[in-house]
Amino acid sequence: MSERKVRAELEDLAGRTPTPTSDQMVAALATAGLKKSEVEVSADITPTGLAVDAIEAAAPVDDNCIVGQVRDGKVAISVLPVLDSGKCFVGGAA
């Protein structure tokens, strides 16, 4: 699994939807070949009902996590170590 596939899917998504939803982020990472059941995603709405400035999604691949962020139609990708919990994000699900 390559972060290039994740980047390509997120760039395609961001080109169509500069502020994607959580579900769209999960679908993009699944299309890139990551296991949908393992994709973690940040909230797409704040507790006060406002849209978030950026949304992130991540999934473990071997001993690393591929983390993708979309902010205003721009994509950033990071590869970070999996946490001791086996997860990519700290805290509960969004």
Side-chain angles (χ1 to χ4, degrees):
M1 169 52 47
S2 166
E3 64 260 25
R4 279 186 265 168
K5 289 182 181 180
V6 173
R7 179 181 293 280
E9 287 300 325
L10 289 180
E11 285 178 346
D12 182 56
L13 173 60
R16 291 180 281 120
T17 308
T19 54
T21 66
S22 296
D23 289 342
Q24 290 171 315
M25 292 289 286
V26 170
L29 268 65
T31 300
L34 299 174
K35 292 180 183 176
K36 188 175 184 178
S37 63
E38 294 182 353
V39 175
E40 299 170 63
V41 64
S42 63
D44 55 7
I45 300 288
T46 68
T48 59
L50 301 174
V52 295
D53 293 331
I55 188 165
E56 295 184 351
V61 177
D62 299 323
D63 292 334
N64 292 309
C65 290
I66 297 178
V67 182
Q69 180 190 76
V70 177
R71 178 187 296 269
D72 297 324
K74 295 185 174 123
V75 174
I77 301 290
S78 298
V79 178
L80 303 167
V82 172
L83 300 172
D84 288 339
S85 66
K87 302 279 187 180
C88 296
F89 289 171
V90 174

